[in-house]
Amino acid sequence: MPEPSLLERTGVSKATFERLVAFRRDLHRHPELSFEEERTAGRIAAELDRLGIAYRSGVAGTGIVADLPGREVGPAVALRADMDALPIAEQTGLPFASERDGVMHACGHDGHTSMVLGAAELLAAGPPPPLPVRFIWQPAEELGEGAKAMVEAGVLDGVGMIFGGHVDRHYPAGAFAISDGAVNASTDEFEIMIAGRGGHGARPHEALDAIVVGSLLITALQTVVSREVDPAHPSVVSVGSFHAGSAPNVIADRATLEGTIRAQHPATRAHLCASVERIAKAIGAVHGAEVTVKVIPGTPPVINSPAMAELARRAARAIVGESGVVPLHTANMGGEDFAFFLDVIRGCYVRVGAQVPGREGFPAHSSRFDIDEDALAAGAAFFARVAVVAGEALLEEGRG
Ligand code: NI
């Protein structure tokens, strides 16, 4: 007997799988930027109409929220997907490559949207899930703003647990990487303004050189992560832009630096933000320059509680077996606004293996990013299953 194929193991029918692939390719062809996901939302709504699932559209702008009743009344299990694309010119050469200049689904959100839709189809076709299931398609994950807007629009009202995921090129389709603890980093940004005193390049003693202060500051910031943070706690401080000066023989009176701060632990996050400010101000003081620091809060880290991760693993094992469920290989310092949902309720964020077999894998946000579409079946089956597993767990808690 040959090994059953991934599709056979997921229990997703060939017809459903083909529909998901066609749906994903249609989204891929017509990508939309953050908070502009009008067409995408319209396509989701049309599919929900076909499935006879009630929904609300226009939530937080372009978001969609659908509800499938459960066998019993009680807290819902939410399944979340993001819908937005990126301002990138696609270079994959795929037959269904983007038809919109300079916009591309380069992060797989077309896949996530299809997976959650697939879960809706699977759940609607089967016996009712233990408790209601809420399907959430959010706008603007790439800006780190969509999830927050959806929470503010009340999409978590009546929800007990939430699950979400991301395609991942480090694991083959049919693998799920599910870890306890931090799985995405916080994403704060900083802006540092240095006010010196301009002058003639030949007479530095008459001026206060903002470029020199900025350079010293950049060097000093390198010690935050290397000398102040526990090496076991992944963290990053990067200066991404440095603007100053106007001519070779003029000393710059002003410099502006911008950068990003990443951490996986809330305490480390707070420490890094405070240190950047402290060091910037101190370097300014040493040289007599006026320095102002602005830290712009981004998304918190995504932290899976062990209990929620265990529910997700149970669901994944039911589809791909013990060997298909692994912990994350490495810390991921990327951000993910799913964190805003986890600020409110319990849940788990998983990585869905989507490595393209036999080809070099390009990272997310690359103009050549692509996924193995078998991941759509695995992801849809996982989301449907976790809705059942989590629903049972919530019922159990209610009885306990
Ligand atoms: Ni993404």
Side-chain angles (χ1 to χ4, degrees):
M1 280 272 289
E3 283 264 299
S5 70
L6 177 58
L7 199 58
E8 285 163 344
R9 281 187 291 156
T10 60
V12 175
S13 74
K14 198 152 176 289
T16 299
F17 177 59
E18 280 168 4
R19 232 183 342 261
L20 290 181
V21 168
F23 185 81
R24 179 252 162 173
R25 291 184 178 189
D26 176 69
L27 297 189
H28 197 86
R29 234 183 246 279
H30 305 281
E32 294 173 300
L33 292 174
S34 305
F35 285 126
E36 296 174 10
E37 307 91 338
E38 306 273 352
R39 182 186 182 278
T40 307
R43 293 286 289 109
I44 296 165
E47 290 300 304
L48 292 169
D49 284 334
R50 180 177 67 79
L51 295 169
I53 299 176
Y55 63 90
R56 283 177 289 145
S57 53
V59 182
T62 50
I64 294 215
V65 179
D67 285 298
L68 186 72
R71 194 177 67 221
E72 295 186 41
V73 176
V77 177
L79 308 175
R80 171 274 201 174
D82 40 17
M83 309 188 285
D84 54 334
L86 285 157
I88 292 175
E90 181 159 354
Q91 291 185 305
T92 59
L94 290 166
F96 51 90
S98 170
E99 291 177 6
R100 295 195 58 200
D101 278 349
V103 185
M104 175 189 177
H105 268 296
C107 199
H109 299 188
D110 49 345
H112 307 160
T113 290
S114 308
M115 285 174 196
V116 168
L117 188 65
E121 175 160 343
L122 294 174
L123 287 164
L131 282 168
V133 180
R134 176 161 300 168
F135 306 92
I136 297 174
W137 287 274
Q138 72 156 79
E141 192 285 325
E142 295 293 356
L143 299 182
E145 294 173 12
K148 202 171 180 207
M150 292 294 271
V151 170
E152 281 161 8
V155 304
L156 293 183
D157 294 352
V159 174
M161 293 176 185
I162 186 163
F163 296 86
H166 206 291
V167 290
D168 195 314
R169 73 184 165 116
H170 299 103
Y171 310 88
F176 289 88
I178 306 174
S179 283
D180 299 353
V183 293
N184 279 94
S186 56
T187 61
D188 304 315
E189 289 182 356
F190 61 86
E191 200 180 290
I192 300 172
M193 266 89 64
I194 302 161
R197 218 168 42 247
H200 197 296
R203 293 188 284 277
H205 59 290
E206 294 173 354
L208 204 176
D209 191 339
I211 289 183
V212 171
V213 176
S215 306
L216 293 167
L217 209 163
I218 291 169
T219 308
L221 288 177
Q222 306 310 310
T223 61
V224 177
V225 170
S226 71
R227 304 292 84 182
E228 290 190 24
V229 175
D230 184 338
H233 293 175
S235 38
V236 178
V237 174
S238 289
V239 176
S241 78
F242 182 5
H243 293 289
S246 56
N249 60 349
V250 174
I251 288 176
D253 64 339
R254 243 151 237 291
T256 314
L257 278 70
E258 290 172 312
T260 186
I261 302 172
R262 308 282 170 124
Q264 292 203 328
H265 297 257
T268 309
R269 179 189 187 192
H271 181 119
L272 291 174
C273 292
S275 291
V276 166
E277 184 160 1
R278 188 192 80 241
I279 288 172
K281 289 256 165 82
I283 294 286
V286 165
H287 300 281
E290 203 185 305
V291 170
T292 47
V293 183
K294 203 158 80 184
V295 175
I296 305 130
T299 56
V302 175
I303 299 174
N304 289 337
S305 77
M308 294 298 100
E310 188 47 37
L311 291 182
R313 279 192 287 267
R314 203 184 297 165
R317 272 188 225 117
I319 296 151
V320 294
E322 194 77 46
S323 63
V325 186
V326 294
L328 278 168
H329 295 329
T330 50
N332 180 356
M333 300 310 283
E336 168 53 68
D337 75 358
F338 190 75
F340 285 114
F341 295 117
L342 293 187
D343 263 3
V344 183
I345 56 164
R346 297 174 290 171
C348 178
Y349 195 70
V350 309
R351 310 294 294 187
V352 182
Q355 193 170 66
V356 180
R359 261 201 286 146
E360 192 187 342
F362 292 94
H365 297 209
S366 149
S367 60
R368 301 181 69 183
F369 176 79
D370 189 23
I371 59 168
D372 180 350
E373 289 175 321
D374 283 358
L376 302 179
F382 165 76
F383 278 119
R385 187 74 202 181
V386 83
V388 173
V389 169
E392 278 162 0
L394 281 166
L395 279 179
E396 193 67 30
E397 277 180 10
R399 281 187 215 105

